Amino acid sequence: MHDPHDRPTAAVDPSPDLPTGQTLQGLHNGVRQALTEAGFDPQDSDTPGLQLRLDEHGVLIAWHPADALGPAIQVRDGHESRHGLPDLHGLRQVLTTAIGQVLHDAGYLVAPTDRALLLVTGSRPRNAG
């Protein structure tokens, strides 16, 4: 479970508004390109791994580990019991920090979110000169 008090160490901006003229699809395409160039493999589907999804405020970035990484879940008497690997919280935190830094360095405004790893809300204006 995501702890809302844990925040990535990469620079984030809580602004929920897209800059004028920037479309959500254009933002999505740019985020995908930046992550791909950094060696990540973002997907748009519900497959395990790094996922990009359009949201009314920008692009949500989520991560769902493959079954091999996730703990085994057993249900007995109607209660879930998790066995296997330890909590993936630390791995999620490292991934969030790395992705946040990659996108910040690429010029994107990145905000933490409780619904996914990060929310990309737009790009920073480039200074002329």
Side-chain angles (χ1 to χ4, degrees):
M1 174 162 242
H2 178 72
D3 182 353
H5 298 289
D6 285 338
R7 298 291 185 230
T9 57
V12 295
D13 183 329
S15 171
D17 299 321
L18 288 174
T20 304
Q22 187 171 21
T23 67
L24 285 174
Q25 190 60 51
L27 181 63
H28 178 273
N29 294 343
V31 167
R32 170 180 298 290
Q33 181 178 349
L35 290 174
T36 300
E37 288 174 2
F40 292 98
D41 184 24
Q43 304 295 316
D44 290 327
S45 64
D46 288 331
T47 59
L50 195 61
Q51 298 173 359
L52 301 182
R53 294 195 177 143
L54 288 176
D55 176 82
E56 64 184 305
H57 300 291
V59 178
L60 281 172
I61 301 172
W63 178 65
H64 300 284
D67 291 340
L69 289 178
I73 300 174
Q74 297 177 346
V75 178
R76 290 190 182 153
D77 300 325
H79 299 286
E80 282 187 3
S81 173
R82 295 180 182 267
H83 300 284
L85 293 175
D87 184 13
L88 296 175
H89 175 76
L91 189 54
R92 284 185 192 281
Q93 187 61 38
V94 168
L95 188 59
T96 299
T97 301
I99 290 170
Q101 191 63 53
V102 163
L103 294 174
H104 175 76
D105 291 351
Y108 290 98
L109 300 173
V110 183
T113 178
D114 293 333
R115 298 181 299 160
L117 294 178
L118 293 168
L119 174 66
V120 180
T121 59
S123 59
R124 293 189 311 270
R126 304 246 183 229
N127 293 334

